[in-house]
Amino acid sequence: MNQRACAEGSHGQANEGVGLSVLSPRELEVDSHLALVPCNALIGAHMGLAESTVTSYLAPAARKLVTTNRFDAVLRARHSGLIA
């Protein structure tokens, strides 16, 4: 995600259907930070991970959540009870 998108957030439309039960514990942990931290670099700094590592967890989680943006990923994970 580029710096401008990180600052502004991304918005889009998600597809229906959610594969929540297949998220790994680490994908859930990284996804839970999306609600609090606006971009991958800051999530990585908070978790002690490289930005590319954060991305490597978020990309498959987004596919499993059947979403195309951060906002919907957080909403779907919250709605399902996976994150607070």
Side-chain angles (χ1 to χ4, degrees):
M1 176 176 272
N2 66 34
Q3 195 170 23
R4 180 177 172 213
C6 180
E8 294 175 0
S10 61
H11 302 284
Q13 202 167 19
N15 299 320
E16 291 301 315
V18 178
L20 298 172
S21 62
V22 296
L23 291 181
S24 73
R26 193 63 159 172
E27 288 169 345
L28 285 171
E29 182 181 4
V30 172
D31 197 50
S32 70
H33 284 80
L34 286 176
L36 305 171
V37 184
C39 64
N40 295 357
L42 293 175
I43 292 171
H46 180 75
M47 295 181 69
L49 301 172
E51 181 177 2
S52 60
T53 304
V54 172
T55 301
S56 74
Y57 285 115
L58 291 176
R63 284 191 301 274
K64 292 173 185 178
L65 291 168
V66 193
T67 187
T68 58
N69 64 68
R70 304 167 80 80
F71 180 76
D72 283 337
V74 170
L75 287 179
R76 287 174 184 265
R78 277 190 174 163
H79 179 70
S80 69
L82 292 173
I83 62 174

